[in-house]
Amino acid sequence: MTLHQPEPAGVKAGETIEVSHRRVLEITLPMTLAFMTTPLLGMTDIAVIGRIGDAETLGGLVVGTLIFDFVFAVCNFLRAGTTGLTAQAVGAGRRRDAEAVFLRALVLALGIGLLLIVAEPLIMSLGLLAVAPGPRVAEAAGTYVFVRMFSAPFALANYAILGSVLGRGWSGRALLLQIIVNGTNIALSILFGLVFGWGIEGVALGTICGEAVGCLAGVAVLAPSLAAGRLPGRAEVFDRRGFGLMLGVNRDIMIRSFCLLAGFALFTRLSASFGPVTLAANGLLMNIFMTGSYFLDGVATASEQLAGLTIGARLRQAFDRTVSLTVLWGMAIGFVLSAVILFGGEALIHFLTTDPEVRATARIYLPFAAATPLVGALAFVMDGLYIGATWSAAMRDMMILSLAAFALFGYGLAPLFGNDGLWIGFELFLGLRGASLYAMLPRQRDRSFAATSG
């Protein structure tokens, strides 16, 4: 289905933005594959260090990876914010603005990356304080973090590159870039860590090389577009209004990411209060859900791209079509994932652990884990829509509200109903995020289109 509307400023006569089931799937499927390469990379690193046969080194890798997961998850605003702002500029026909958005994001990425290198000792100290591993594990983690931190400028530049590529609607090229980054990382981590025998330093060096090669590939992908649009001057890149908008959007997304991480940390903390068996069972079930969430991330990316393009082009009917189709596909994917976890979860539990107590406990709470993709599907789609539309302040506020509700329900229900109460609180956390954003959507949409028509 191709939607036509009266020609707004910035859209050439006869131009349309297609919003169809096919278009949604053309974005969703390659991005799902792209996101799925990330856990494959993690498993490769664990397999490389695992073959060395030293438990403390493996533990150091796990701790070091956890530190980077937290730091880079917080910095994901560079990707998300760039996608929405780029998509709106492209939808409005402002190609030069799209190039300026990318260059602003690149400046931020390189600046933050260099700051992370300088702050590595502090980051490492805080990470060890939070995890409190043994001396040898801490030593191995320190080595890994010290070496890998030099990848930060490249990794964050890749966030800006990926956001710009996605904002332009190039999902196939985004998949290619993710394959290059993670494929190079996997190959060189095996070569350096296992074949050359460099161990954990080799794995970290492989990551640096993967991010650097991916960064060069990303610049090559964007170079023709940048050259065709003529590079914006320094004054345009550092324009106060444009830079202020990017910083505001990125700040809100960063706060949202902090709250999301805090929600998972709270779930883990409360799980630990029920003892090691329940903690392990809940962690196992949560990992199953997080693996399935990559499929929901794919449709969230589709909602990001299409929302940004349709708002930028001022096509209200196309935007409404984007909402209905991405919500439909998000709920459908959530339903399928829930069914897979419910009926195949026991086999997954037995594959992931041999501990009989953990297996038994995980089976008890499997229905809760199975419900999470369906309950959380709307939140994934709404996050994508709000990021693409750059309604970051509303998304931030609803995340804070949902986290506060989870803390209230978690601490209130867990003492009364045990682990069942904790899972109910977590389901409410996911459901409230999606429902609150969906309820606010008509008002946000009317405000955006009223502003663009004025």
Side-chain angles (χ1 to χ4, degrees):
M1 176 179 181
T2 302
L3 300 173
H4 299 258
Q5 285 196 215
E7 180 189 345
V11 176
K12 297 177 182 178
E15 277 194 339
T16 59
I17 293 177
E18 180 191 9
V19 181
S20 63
H21 290 285
R22 178 178 178 177
R23 181 73 181 275
V24 171
L25 291 178
E26 282 176 347
I27 301 170
T28 299
L29 295 178
M31 290 316 302
T32 298
L33 292 174
F35 293 135
M36 288 297 289
T37 62
T38 300
L40 180 61
L41 170 61
M43 287 189 289
T44 301
D45 287 349
I46 289 174
V48 168
I49 300 303
R51 290 186 65 85
I52 296 175
D54 184 85
E56 284 80 7
T57 303
L58 182 58
L61 174 67
V62 171
V63 172
T65 301
L66 181 65
I67 292 171
F68 276 100
D69 285 346
F70 180 84
V71 171
F72 287 163
V74 171
C75 292
N76 189 53
F77 63 81
L78 286 165
R79 202 283 302 162
T82 305
T83 298
L85 292 170
T86 301
Q88 289 189 30
V90 171
R94 302 191 308 267
R95 296 282 173 171
R96 195 175 180 89
D97 285 355
E99 316 311 344
V101 167
F102 168 64
L103 292 175
R104 289 177 196 133
L106 191 62
V107 169
L108 281 176
L110 295 176
I112 295 171
L114 292 174
L115 283 176
L116 289 176
I117 292 175
V118 173
E120 182 272 331
L122 175 61
I123 294 170
M124 189 64 215
S125 298
L126 292 174
L128 293 180
L129 183 65
V131 180
R136 286 198 60 204
V137 171
E139 181 183 357
T143 299
Y144 177 78
V145 170
F146 174 78
V147 176
R148 184 179 168 183
M149 193 61 78
F150 287 98
S151 74
F154 299 116
L156 298 187
N158 284 331
Y159 281 8
I161 290 168
L162 182 60
S164 187
V165 169
L166 289 175
R168 298 164 198 267
W170 299 344
S171 52
R173 298 179 207 187
L175 170 60
L176 175 62
L177 289 176
Q178 290 301 100
I179 290 174
I180 289 173
V181 171
N182 291 331
T184 303
N185 192 337
I186 288 170
L188 293 182
S189 292
I190 293 172
L191 178 66
F192 296 154
L194 204 57
V195 178
F196 289 177
W198 295 348
I200 199 165
E201 295 96 330
V203 169
L205 182 59
T207 300
I208 296 174
C209 294
E211 297 288 359
V213 170
C215 188
L216 291 174
V219 170
V221 166
L222 288 172
S225 180
L226 291 168
R230 298 179 183 176
L231 283 176
R234 180 177 177 181
E236 289 178 86
V237 174
F238 290 95
D239 172 68
R240 180 176 296 183
R241 183 179 177 278
F243 224 97
L245 176 60
M246 170 165 279
L247 290 173
V249 169
N250 287 344
R251 176 202 62 215
D252 294 335
I253 296 175
M254 183 176 69
I255 294 171
R256 171 257 185 195
S257 298
F258 263 123
C259 291
L260 184 60
L261 290 169
F264 286 107
L266 178 58
F267 181 86
T268 303
R269 181 181 180 88
L270 292 173
S271 296
S273 68
F274 300 121
V277 172
T278 300
L279 173 62
N282 281 357
L284 185 151
L285 293 172
M286 188 59 66
N287 278 327
I288 292 175
F289 162 62
M290 293 303 292
T291 301
S293 71
Y294 288 109
F295 293 89
L296 293 172
D297 280 332
V299 74
T301 303
S303 67
E304 274 183 56
Q305 285 188 28
L306 295 174
L309 288 171
T310 53
I311 282 185
R314 306 180 188 180
L315 298 171
R316 179 168 179 154
Q317 186 184 359
F319 176 81
D320 290 342
R321 177 74 168 167
T322 295
V323 173
S324 61
L325 288 187
T326 53
V327 168
L328 174 65
W329 277 106
M331 297 303 292
I333 292 171
F335 179 81
V336 171
L337 289 172
S338 290
V340 169
I341 294 173
L342 182 62
F343 296 108
E346 187 169 344
L348 288 172
I349 291 168
H350 281 252
F351 174 75
L352 292 170
T353 182
T354 58
D355 188 296
E357 288 186 275
V358 175
R359 282 180 172 179
T361 303
R363 283 196 300 268
I364 293 172
Y365 299 104
L366 181 61
F368 286 112
T372 50
L374 185 58
V375 172
L378 187 60
F380 278 81
V381 176
M382 288 298 108
D383 275 356
L385 287 167
Y386 275 63
I387 288 171
T390 60
W391 300 334
S392 57
M395 183 176 66
R396 173 204 66 201
D397 293 343
M398 291 305 100
M399 174 61 83
I400 293 172
L401 174 66
S402 299
L403 177 62
F406 177 38
L408 179 65
F409 281 110
Y411 282 107
L413 294 177
L416 296 175
F417 301 102
N419 200 39
D420 295 82
L422 174 58
W423 274 102
I424 292 171
F426 185 72
E427 304 289 356
L428 290 171
F429 172 56
L430 295 176
L432 182 59
R433 279 178 55 215
S436 60
L437 292 174
Y438 187 76
M440 291 182 65
L441 195 146
R443 185 175 66 182
Q444 294 289 136
R445 176 200 59 196
D446 293 345
R447 186 180 300 164
S448 289
F449 284 98
T452 56
S453 63

